[in-house]
Structures are given as structure tokens and as C-alpha cells.
Amino acid sequence: MICQYEVEEVWFPLSETILEWDEDFHELMLGDKLRMAAYKKAIESVVQPEMIVLDLGTGTGILGLWALEAGAKYLYAIDVNSKILTLAIQRFNQGGFYGRYEVFNAISYEVNLPQRVDLIISEILGNLADNEDFVPILTDARQRFLKKSGRMLPSSVYTQLVPVSSVKAHQQVKSKNIKRLNTKYNLERLLQRLAVESPFNLYYDVILSQQSYLSKPQIAQEFQMDGNDQQVYNVILTFNVEVDGIFTGFKGSFVATLADSVVLDISGSDIAAHTTSDCWKHCYLPIENPVEVKPGDQIQLLYTRFYPTHRNSPFRQCYKWSGNIMRGSSIISYFEQSMESREIFQSLTTDN
Ligand SMILES: C[S@@+](CC[C@H](N)C(=O)[O-])C[C@H]1O[C@@H](n2cnc3c(N)ncnc32)[C@H](O)[C@@H]1O
């Protein structure tokens, strides 16, 4: 399957449907040169013979296979998706590693490993870094599965945000005319499941180039994988507008340190040169009412991550992006988008 995509093309936000991922999406991940090259290099540089390794969220098993090929003594591989996990088993056996691994078909919170491991490898990152809920998952895994002397791969990651001007992306969100890998990834169904009414209260997968930046990117949140990372937070950022444009939302991306000398940065936008990631693209956090801005204006952002009042899936998370656009000391406009439905929130607060 070849996935063709263009700059400013709005795609279905795959990180919101983890439990529905199929072979098409796993194929897309396996063909993603930026992702694969970085993970292969990192695993080869970190895995030492005799290591016991956990591949958390093994999917089709590629990262676990690389760990075994790099000399790992034993591999534990966990995945909640039973259909995809059979492909991992096939891969390990075809690699000649029968007897050197054990798989667990469950969510990691419910797994108990027979022993602690030297290394936890995972690729449960979303394009905002934490939009596949890695913080509680890896905090729990570190606590229960890792030896005191053990290592995490990735070892750290940060989220970057930058305000952008993309009228093209805005129009696609407004008309809900978005691209998807196959018909199983359905926007209307996703909006319904999340109880989010406006398509502007959701983020999307979109490649946004530097030409669309209105300001310099800033780090919004950092994660050290040390057991103390925050899963719920409020971050205030002020962006100085440097060019004329129509502010339509924010671009989000992550930079992950996989190993000492291996960094995976998905912010690039040269599709032909593979500086973009086929599976992550970038995150686009749209605003409903675009605002004309000019150099000297300031975009003040309150970026919030939280969990909804009613959680209907282990991966249900919410982001909220709101703020003011300032010209001198005057507020010329404001925005407020949230993945938690206001109606549900209001009805819950009135019921109580
Ligand atoms: C982004 S995919 C990566 C798959 C594979 N490691 C790779 O790199 O190609 C993440 C996988 O982790 C699984 N997953 C995510 N969180 C999990 C958890 N807490 N417990 C078990 N499986 C999980 C998903 O089902 C999915 O197959």
C-alpha cells in the first residue's frame, strides 16, 4: 500500500482510534522511512547481548525482532490487538527466534511479567508526543517491569507548537472533507464516539511546512520517561507573530531522543526527501474562526491536556487550546477549542 500525501492535506487523526488500528495502518508505519531508520539505529546501539527486553505495544513485532537480532537474550512482547499480535509471532518465528520470546495479548496495565527487564522499547507516541497516552502506560511499565539499572527507549521526548496560517487546511476541516487510509477510519463516527460536535474541537494529521509558520516554534511539554512525567497539565505560551497571515491554528510535532545519538524529529516538511513521517505527519490543532494577524501581534495560548469526565476507553484523552490574539494592549480576537464536549460537561454539572 502506497500512501501519497501533500502539504496542507487534512487526514483522519489516527491516534484517536488505537483500538481500531488495522493492517493498513501497520503497513503505513512499517513503510515510514523516518520512523523506521531512527528506531533501527537506536535499537542496534542500545541492545547488548544477554539483555532481557520488553517491546511494549509490539504491533507487528518489528522493534522486538530488531532487539532479538541485536542479541537480546529474551523478549517479552505485549499488544492489546490480538489480530496484529499474530503477525508479530510469525515475524519472531520466521526470524528463527522460536523459544526466545513470550507474547501477552492484553493492555499493559493488566500484564504481569515473570521477571524484570533491562530495556523497555516502545513506540506509542502520537504526533503531539502524548496523544497515544504514553505517560501513564510507561510510568506503570517502568515501575513494574524495569530493573533499577534498566533503560527506556525512547529516553525523552518533547512536544513543540507553532501558530500557522493554512486556509486550505481550515476549509477541509470546516467541510469535514478529510483524507483517510480506508473507509474504516470514519470522521463522523469518531466525532460521535468522542461526543465532539464541531470538527474544530478535534486535531488532525496534516503536513504543515515552515512557510505556514506565523512565529517561531516553542516547546510545550517535555517528558523524561523517569516516572515523573505529567499526564494532565496546563501550559501558557506567548507567540510573537513575525509575518502577515491568517491564523488558522497550531502545528504540533515531537522530537524524541531514542538513544544517546539517535533523535527522531517529525517536524520536517520535505515529503520527497522523507523528512516527513508517513504515519504521524504533523498535528493540526485548528481554530474555528481564523484571524488576520500581522508582525507585532501576539498569540497567547493556554494548552491543556486532561481526561474527560466520563472515560469510555483506556486511550480517551482530551486537549484544549484556547487564548487571545493581542495587538498592543488590545484583544483583537480569541479562540477556544476543546475535545471535551461542552454539552456533556454542562449536563453532568447540572445533574449533580
Ligand atoms: C504505534 S504502534 C507501534 C507498533 C510497533 N511497535 C511498531 O513500531 O511498528 C503501537 C502499538 O501499541 C499497542 N499498544 C499501545 N498501547 C498499549 C498498551 N498500553 N498495552 C498494550 N498494547 C498497546 C497498539 O495496539 C499498537 O499495536
Side-chain angles (χ1 to χ4, degrees), residues 83-293:
K83 201 164 161 216
I84 297 297
L85 193 57
T86 59
L87 302 176
I89 295 169
Q90 272 172 27
R91 196 191 286 284
F92 301 147
N93 290 342
Q94 276 163 10
F97 295 104
Y98 184 80
R100 294 255 305 272
Y101 69 87
E102 184 174 352
V103 299
F104 297 83
N105 177 209
I107 191 144
S108 54
Y109 300 114
E110 290 169 8
V111 171
N112 288 308
L113 294 185
Q115 59 182 325
R116 286 186 180 256
V117 303
D118 300 290
L119 175 67
I120 297 179
I121 299 173
S122 67
E123 193 286 81
I124 50 173
L125 298 165
N127 48 18
L128 279 175
D130 57 1
N131 47 331
E132 290 174 16
D133 213 26
F134 83 76
V135 173
I137 296 170
L138 293 187
T139 301
D140 168 68
R142 186 185 173 97
Q143 209 170 38
R144 294 191 304 117
F145 303 146
L146 192 66
K147 288 181 185 167
K148 276 217 162 65
S149 57
R151 292 179 64 160
M152 304 290 282
L153 185 171
S155 56
S156 65
V157 60
Y158 61 85
T159 310
Q160 303 184 113
L161 294 174
V162 57
V164 292
S165 178
S166 176
V167 172
K168 197 173 154 194
H170 177 82
Q171 281 163 349
Q172 291 164 77
V173 173
K174 190 171 180 184
S175 61
K176 300 188 195 170
N177 181 16
I178 67 163
K179 300 256 180 188
R180 54 197 173 147
L181 268 186
N182 63 46
T183 53
K184 274 179 254 160
Y185 301 104
N186 182 304
L187 180 62
E188 287 295 352
R189 217 172 40 229
L190 175 62
L191 292 170
Q192 246 176 35
R193 177 168 63 74
L194 300 178
V196 167
E197 273 161 27
S198 162
F200 290 99
N201 286 332
L202 183 61
Y203 62 82
Y204 297 86
D205 298 353
V206 185
I207 295 292
L208 291 157
S209 72
Q210 279 194 6
Q211 278 84 52
S212 66
Y213 290 12
L214 291 169
S215 174
K216 290 194 178 55
Q218 293 188 40
I219 294 178
Q221 190 69 5
E222 296 185 74
F223 309 92
Q224 300 302 328
M225 314 292 182
D226 58 359
N228 298 311
D229 290 325
Q230 301 299 306
Q231 48 184 307
V232 170
Y233 50 79
N234 287 302
V235 178
I236 295 173
L237 297 171
T238 300
F239 295 93
N240 295 316
V241 174
E242 294 178 352
V243 291
D244 288 301
I246 299 180
F247 168 49
T248 64
F250 295 89
K251 165 180 170 173
S253 61
F254 71 76
V255 179
T257 299
L258 300 184
D260 293 344
S261 57
V262 188
V263 171
L264 171 59
D265 177 352
I266 67 157
S267 67
S269 56
D270 188 339
I271 296 171
H274 299 291
T275 68
T276 57
S277 156
D278 302 348
C279 64
W280 282 301
K281 300 183 177 61
H282 304 135
C283 186
Y284 177 51
L285 300 150
I287 65 160
E288 187 148 11
N289 299 307
V291 185
E292 222 175 304
V293 291

Side-chain angles (χ1 to χ4, degrees), residues 18 21 26 29-30 35 55-60 62-63 78-81 84 106-109 123-124 132 137 315:
I18 292 171
W21 287 349
H26 279 275
M29 288 190 274
L30 294 172
R35 184 187 93 102
D55 180 6
L56 196 161
T58 195
T60 60
I62 189 67
L63 308 184
I78 303 176
D79 208 290
V80 66
N81 184 329
I84 297 297
I107 191 144
S108 54
Y109 300 114
E123 193 286 81
I124 50 173
E132 290 174 16
I137 296 170
F315 295 103

Side-chain angles (χ1 to χ4, degrees), residues 38-53:
Y39 265 91
K40 189 164 200 286
K41 193 169 171 204
I43 290 169
E44 286 171 352
S45 79
V46 169
V47 173
Q48 303 292 322
E50 302 302 303
M51 269 189 173
I52 297 169
V53 176

